[in-house]
Structure formats: C-alpha cells, structure tokens
Amino acid sequence: MAVVAGVLAYGATRPLTFSLMAGLFLVSALSAVWQPLPNRRLRNLALLTVALAAALIGWSLLQTLPLGLGDALGLEDAAARIVPPGPGAISVDPGRTLYAIPAAVLPLLVFVTTFILFRREESAFFLVQFLAGLGVVLAVIGIPQFLFDPGHILLIPKVAYPESLTGSFINRNTAAAFFGCAALLCAAVAATPRQANERWRPPPPPGEPVRMPLRLSAQAYAGIWLVGAGACLTALLLTQSRAGIAVFLSGVFVFSAIRLWTYLRRKEVPVAKRLAAMLGLSVLLAIAGIVVAGRALLRFQLAGLDSARWCAYRSTVRAIGDHVWFGTGLGTFPVVFPAYRAADCAPAARWETAHSTYLEGYMALGLPFLFALVLVFVVVTHILITGIRSRRRMRNVPIAGAAVSTLVALHSLIDFPLQVPGFAAYFSAALGACTAVALGRASSGAERRQETARPPVRPPSAGAKGKRGNRPRFPTRELARSPASAAPLRPDPEGQ
C-alpha cells in the first residue's frame, strides 16, 4: 500500500505526499520488529541494514553539530560566497541536512521491512507479481492518456516533458527506470513455473471435494505476463529517455546472460548447443539494441551529448575536491553547487540535484559514502549470487533482482532515480522481495532439519486402546511408489 501511494503520488517528491508514504512505511516497520526470521542469513542481513541506517543517521547528525570542524578544516571557504559562515559545523546548512535524513534512510527502511514481512518465498513471489502488475497498470493507463491527453499526468497538468510519457512521475528518466524495472519483473514472473508458487497451498480437509478454480495453462499464464512486459516496454519507448533505454538494454543483457549461463552449465547440454545458444543470444540482443535504441540514436545525432549535464559533473567534482573527507552535508547540493558552477553550465537553469547519485552522495557525505557504497554493492552481489546458485524453480526471481539492480545502478551514474522517494521505495521493495527468495532457505543443516521436522506422534494410552476417538492421527498424504522400487512386505516375526 505504501509503495502504491508513493508511485501514484507523482513520486512522493512533495513534503505532504512523502510524509504520508513514510508514515505508512513506519507502521509497516514497527509491525515487522516482532516478526521472526527463518534463518541466520536473513537475521544477519537485517542487523547489517539497521546498522547501516543508524550509521547514516549518526553521521548526518554529526555533520550538523557545531564542533568547530568546519573552521578547522577550511570547509567554510568555498561556500562562503553563497552561504553565510556557520557555527563551525561540517554541514554548510544544518537545517537542510536534518530535513534530508528521512529521504536518505527510506530505501534502507523499505528494504529491511520487505524481506521481514515477506520472508516466505511464496509471499515474496506474490510481491514480485504485485510490483510487476503495478507497472503494467500504469503503462496501460499512461499510454492512452499520453496519446489522447498529453498535457496531463494522471489528474494534474504536466509542467515538463510534454513530448514524452512520464507515467505517474514528473521526470521522464525516472519513468523510464520505473517501466524498465517493471518489464524485467514481468519477464521473471513469466519465466517462473506456476508450480513454484502453487505448491504451498494446503490441501482441502478430508472428505470435502476439491474445488478447482479457473486456472490458466502454463502457456497462457506466461503469455499474459509477456504482454504486460510488452506494455511496459512500449511505455519505456514513449518516454524517449536515452539513458532509460540504454540501461534497460543492459538489464535485459544481464537477465538473458544469467539465464543462459544457468542453462548451459548443465552437464547434459552438448557443446554445440551451448555455442548455438550463445550465438543466438548475441544476435537477438544486437537486433533488440538496433530496434529499441533507434530513436535514442537519432536523438544523439540531432542533439548530441548533454553539455550542460557534463559541465555540472565537472563542477561537482571540483566541489568534491574541496570536501573529500567529510563532505558538505547531506542535502546541501542546491546551496553549495552555485559556488562551483561554471558560467556555461545552463545559467538560466536551477540545479536541485547533480544528476548523478554517486557524485552528489560523495559531495554530501564525503569518504564515508564511498565505504558504504562499496559495502552495499558487495552485499547485494553476494545475496543475488547466492540465490542464483542455490534456487531452482524460483531462480528467475534473484536473476530479475540482478537485472533490476544493474539497471538502477547504471542509471544512477547519469541521473537521480534513487533520489525520487516513490521510485526508491518501489526499487527497494523489489530488491527486498528478491532477497527473501534468494536467502529464504535455511543456511545450515541444523536449520534445514528444524524446518522440515514434524512433531512426534503420541502413541495411544493403554486405557484408550480400542477407542476410535483416541487413535493417533497420521498424515493422510499418500506416498507414490514405483513398481521397480516397491519392496515386498515381509511377515511380522512375532505374528502380530
């Protein structure tokens, strides 16, 4: 519900909508505190995520304290032309730093809450289906609205990008990242066998007839989700985002390459078939790149590179050079950037972000941001590799997590999708669901035996023999035995 609120509220970039979404996630997080986790790996990951969020909050608060570090390190000199000298704090604007803390912590909160509440692989897969379906619904709504009423975003007038589809977001690049993630999730759901999600359903009580609901065949089920992926891909193309299309192709490459690798590593696959599959994948990706990126290449030829954005990158790097160790303070980019902006960096534009999450994060938090970034990349990579290697029927879910993470990581190099709270919540929920599937199984032999252990059956008491009501109840599941493996019954030596 909170993810839907953040996405439908135009990315939750306004204070009111962000407060509503953050409040819903806070309620979910409080309900997740008392939920037990099934194995040690998820418990350790939860502790690590909470520790990282606490470190982010603690470092941001330390930046606002008047400890005299700003004067001692000379941090006030460069920004003094724009901001009056502060009381010696690291942050050049402590008020902005305090205001930016909730938005920075929100993705970590959503991630840990998701894999706690959806710790069972069945519920996690349902969440993946829900997030993919949300993208399909917005694509189905957004495409006709863009064709017949391009001046509106859902219910409000569109203030930017009238020539592009933006879905429920203000920025077309964020919309492209959203529809790209949704298309990859749809592909993962279509490629996952239905039995992987239906095997957990309990059987009907004894004596009651089995009521079979309307069920689609496996081909129809996969076809519906592939049509949904096509709708998301169409919406992605209508955004006309060069970066969005390029990073989507990278996500498709990762998804296809990992699926092909998991198939070719089987011993029964001959070498000729492996080489043919690799060659076929390369040809299909080349054709897809030519067809899908045609409009993007045309825009590159007509408009060239975005010189203003590259100028902003150079200015941000100069700001980082003056604040390498401790940064300028979380959320202070709009205040600090004018002091470093070159004269040819779109002087009529107002720069609220650096259009690169990594550059802005380093400028704001300093060297601790680099350590945290490396830690996050290592942990996420380890989680997804573990899921891809250990899962079988649900393997497509961690593969989709790897593809979506690649898409968002590359897009954050040249834009700011993770700085839009609604999209950050959507991506964190998807990654949390993929994590629950990847690490949901027990990590040790003792934990696996504890999960699969059945409660002992009590024998009937001596005085209760012969009473039908007190006989022990045994599982009613019938064990299938093949004729070849069935052994003849031996007579009881005691004759009983």
Side-chain angles (χ1 to χ4, degrees):
M1 186 66 182
V3 175
V4 176
V7 172
L8 294 182
Y10 310 103
T13 55
R14 300 294 182 181
L16 179 60
T17 55
F18 174 78
S19 300
L20 174 63
M21 183 185 68
L24 293 175
F25 275 118
L26 182 60
V27 172
S28 302
L30 292 177
S31 64
V33 171
W34 311 106
Q35 301 294 330
L37 289 172
N39 56 59
R40 175 171 48 85
R41 292 185 298 192
L42 285 178
R43 289 191 291 268
N44 293 340
L45 180 61
L47 293 176
L48 178 62
T49 308
V50 172
L52 186 61
L56 175 59
I57 296 174
W59 176 244
S60 301
L61 292 176
L62 183 64
Q63 288 182 319
T64 63
L65 298 180
L67 302 177
L69 295 177
D71 296 331
L73 299 172
L75 302 182
E76 299 286 348
D77 298 338
R81 290 171 287 174
I82 303 297
V83 183
I90 295 176
S91 175
V92 298
D93 193 342
R96 283 181 175 269
T97 299
L98 293 175
Y99 182 79
I101 290 177
V105 178
L106 178 67
L108 297 173
L109 174 66
V110 176
F111 174 71
V112 69
T113 303
T114 300
F115 73 75
I116 291 178
L117 294 181
F118 297 88
R119 57 192 177 276
R120 291 176 57 89
E121 64 179 27
E122 298 84 10
S123 58
F125 186 75
F126 173 78
L127 180 59
V128 172
Q129 291 177 312
F130 177 80
L131 296 175
L134 178 61
V136 174
V137 170
L138 288 180
V140 171
I141 295 175
I143 293 174
Q145 185 179 30
F146 172 71
L147 295 177
F148 299 104
D149 188 15
H152 285 80
I153 305 176
L154 296 183
L155 301 177
I156 65 172
K158 183 183 291 187
V159 297
Y161 305 108
E163 75 286 353
S164 302
L165 185 148
T166 59
S168 61
F169 298 94
I170 306 299
N171 187 278
R172 68 180 178 189
N173 295 317
T174 306
F178 172 78
F179 288 121
C181 292
L184 293 172
L185 294 179
C186 288
V189 174
T192 302
R194 297 191 66 185
Q195 293 79 6
N197 191 34
E198 293 179 353
R199 58 181 178 176
W200 65 276
R201 296 181 181 178
E208 291 189 6
V210 179
R211 297 181 176 88
M212 298 298 294
L214 179 62
R215 298 179 62 181
L216 298 173
S217 63
Q219 293 78 8
Y221 174 80
I224 290 175
W225 283 107
L226 289 178
V227 170
C232 294
L233 178 59
T234 303
L236 169 63
L237 295 177
L238 291 177
T239 61
Q240 303 183 36
S241 172
R242 295 168 292 180
I245 295 174
V247 298
F248 173 74
L249 289 177
S250 66
V252 172
F253 174 77
V254 170
F255 185 86
S256 304
I258 297 178
R259 275 187 56 85
L260 181 63
W261 174 76
T262 56
Y263 171 73
L264 296 181
R265 66 194 297 259
R266 300 177 183 175
K267 296 181 179 180
E268 63 272 12
V269 180
V271 178
K273 195 172 183 179
R274 298 182 185 183
L275 296 176
M278 295 177 63
L279 180 61
L281 176 62
S282 303
V283 172
L284 288 177
L285 289 177
I287 295 175
I290 295 174
V291 174
V292 175
R295 295 182 62 89
L297 293 176
L298 179 61
R299 288 192 59 200
F300 273 122
Q301 293 176 359
L302 296 178
L305 295 176
D306 193 347
S307 58
R309 183 171 300 190
W310 288 104
C311 180
Y313 294 160
R314 293 194 300 269
S315 302
T316 306
V317 170
R318 288 197 291 115
I320 292 174
D322 290 341
H323 309 85
V324 174
W325 302 105
F326 300 102
T328 62
L330 187 65
T332 59
F333 177 84
V335 178
V336 177
F337 181 75
Y340 293 91
R341 183 173 67 175
D344 56 343
C345 289
R350 181 180 179 183
W351 293 86
E352 295 289 340
T353 62
H355 288 268
S356 175
T357 302
Y358 306 124
L359 289 179
E360 185 171 346
Y362 197 110
M363 190 190 80
L365 299 175
L367 193 60
F369 172 78
L370 183 60
F371 294 147
L373 183 64
V374 172
L375 176 63
V376 169
F377 272 107
V378 171
V379 171
V380 172
T381 303
H382 173 71
I383 290 171
L384 297 175
I385 291 178
T386 301
I388 293 170
R389 297 181 62 181
S390 62
R391 302 312 306 266
R392 291 181 180 268
R393 288 195 242 178
M394 301 283 283
R395 180 175 290 165
N396 293 298
V397 176
I399 292 177
V404 169
S405 300
T406 302
L407 186 153
V408 175
L410 293 179
H411 203 176
S412 298
L413 280 171
I414 52 179
D415 221 308
F416 53 94
L418 290 178
Q419 295 172 251
V420 179
F423 176 79
Y426 180 86
F427 168 70
S428 300
L431 186 59
C434 296
T435 299
V437 173
L439 303 182
R441 294 293 178 88
S443 57
S444 63
E447 291 178 345
R448 285 193 293 269
R449 288 191 296 269
Q450 184 178 2
E451 285 185 357
T452 57
R454 296 180 179 178
V457 179
R458 292 185 178 182
S461 60
K465 284 187 177 181
K467 293 184 180 180
R468 184 177 181 85
N470 293 331
R471 291 181 181 178
R473 294 183 178 181
F474 294 93
T476 59
R477 181 181 299 175
E478 296 182 1
L479 300 178
R481 301 174 61 188
S482 62
S485 62
L489 298 178
R490 290 180 294 181
D492 192 346
E494 298 182 1
Q496 296 180 355

